[in-house]
Amino acid sequence: MKSRGGEQVSRSAISQKWTMFLCLASFCAGLFLTNRMWTVPESKGITRTTAAEAETLKLVSEGCDPKYLQQKAVKNVPKEIFGEVSKTHQAIKTLDKTISNLEMELAAAKVAQESILAGSPLSEAAENGDSFRKRKYLMVIGINTAFSSRKRRDSVRSTWMPQGERRRKLEEEKGIIVRFVIGHSATLGGILDRAIEAEDKKHGDILRLDHVEGYLELSAKTKTYFATAVGLWDAEYYVKVDDDVHVNIATLGETLVRHRKKPRVYIGCMKSGPVLAQKGVRYHEPEHWKFGENGNKYFRHATGQLYAISKDLASYISVNKHVLHKYANEDVSLGSWFIGLDVQHIDDRRLCCGTPPDCEWKAQAGNICVASFDWSCSGICRSVDRIKDVHRRCGEGQDALWKAAF
């Protein structure tokens, strides 16, 4: 085909160009329209529901809202049922406490039987048979003493410790046992043992332990004392006191009964002294490395001049005496035996008053001390000569013990 100017134009070429252009334009228009149709606009505040929420919505729509049903069910429970549940819970707690007490009594009876089979000496009360087993005592006071302390024992007998008929009356009417506590010599049946036997025959106030005496064996002696005492006497509390300390027995009893409803009680003047690593010093601790770096202090424990523990703790010591570790200092050993147990540590500073004028001023103010001694001497300095003066100035009075109601 020819044009007017004589040029020949190809219609097929023009047609191909427009075809390509139209196809490209259609493809772009299709992409544009496709994005507009399938893109879902994001809407703020709209969240998707989970399967659990969908299930809950379904229950609510059907009138079965779980929370509503729970509230409705609680409202429909009668108050009497709640009362019965509360009584049952209380009964379970009481039963649990009873089982615990029976376990402790069984352990104490086992210790007593072992003592009898081993031929350990029994107290006068033990020799009386069934009456001693049925009797309940308030406390047993064990006065730690040594073979060389005869004068100290006599000074205690002449001051705060009742003698003869008054001591028996104290046991029968007040439920308080007081005994000097001592083991035997390295030479069993030697002159030292015979002297103690003669003294006990005269006064009847000495508890002999299956233990070899020695200052470095005080931890073992303390453990043996509690194990023996809990096997001989069924008491609420067991007390250990040194023979150079002045004690007001009535005030001690009144102090202990305030805590009689509490389980696992450990009463004393709580302290935390330094761990002495240096050899040759007093109260040296050979196992100081167990307490950390040099200069560290012990855990809290009652000072050794006087402390008291409840029956369940004394029974615990009795049952586990073969595996309880002994440190150099007996008060530290006792405190270590209770670590890890649910024990109530009661810090009462009246159990560690000073000698006059300290205890005298407190007595005049109406705050009578339980125990008095000198910290510098770990007891009353020159107690044989001074304990009578301490008793006169800081004692609770002759009638206080007999008027006390525990």
Side-chain angles (χ1 to χ4, degrees), residues 158-336:
S158 64
T159 53
W160 61 268
M161 179 181 180
Q163 289 298 293
E165 188 60 35
R166 290 168 62 87
R167 181 172 61 83
R168 283 186 284 273
K169 181 181 178 182
L170 181 66
E171 297 176 3
E172 295 173 1
E173 295 185 6
K174 302 299 181 180
I176 299 175
I177 303 291
V178 186
R179 294 288 189 276
F180 289 103
V181 178
I182 192 169
H184 57 80
S185 65
T187 307
L188 187 61
I191 187 172
L192 295 177
D193 291 308
R194 292 199 300 271
I196 286 293
E197 291 170 2
E199 185 180 343
D200 185 34
K201 188 175 182 179
K202 177 180 179 181
H203 298 282
D205 56 4
I206 297 178
L207 172 63
R208 301 298 301 276
L209 302 177
D210 184 13
H211 166 79
V212 179
E213 284 292 320
Y215 181 77
L216 297 179
E217 298 296 329
L218 286 179
S219 295
K221 183 177 181 179
T222 300
K223 185 163 54 173
T224 304
Y225 158 63
F226 284 121
T228 304
V230 79
L232 295 178
W233 297 287
D234 182 10
E236 295 182 54
Y237 295 96
Y238 298 84
V239 182
K240 178 263 175 183
V241 60
D242 290 337
D243 60 3
D244 55 355
V245 174
H246 179 268
V247 179
N248 285 316
I249 298 178
T251 308
L252 173 60
E254 291 169 352
T255 301
L256 296 181
V257 296
R258 296 193 189 105
H259 308 287
R260 69 192 335 166
K261 292 184 179 180
K262 302 174 184 177
R264 298 174 298 280
V265 173
Y266 175 32
I267 306 175
C269 287
M270 300 296 164
K271 66 174 184 177
S272 179
V275 180
L276 302 179
Q278 183 180 355
K279 293 183 178 180
V281 299
R282 191 180 185 187
Y283 305 128
H284 165 64
E285 179 56 71
E287 299 180 90
H288 57 86
W289 61 274
K290 290 185 177 180
F291 299 92
E293 302 299 328
N294 289 340
N296 283 357
K297 292 185 176 182
Y298 288 112
F299 40 79
R300 288 284 174 181
H301 61 277
T303 186
Q305 285 80 4
L306 186 148
Y307 49 73
I309 60 175
S310 54
K311 179 185 177 181
D312 40 16
L313 292 183
S315 298
Y316 170 81
I317 293 174
S318 176
V319 172
N320 299 282
K321 60 184 178 182
H322 298 297
V323 295
L324 294 177
H325 185 70
K326 302 184 295 294
Y327 289 100
N329 303 303
E330 55 98 6
D331 52 356
V332 173
S333 295
L334 183 74
S336 72

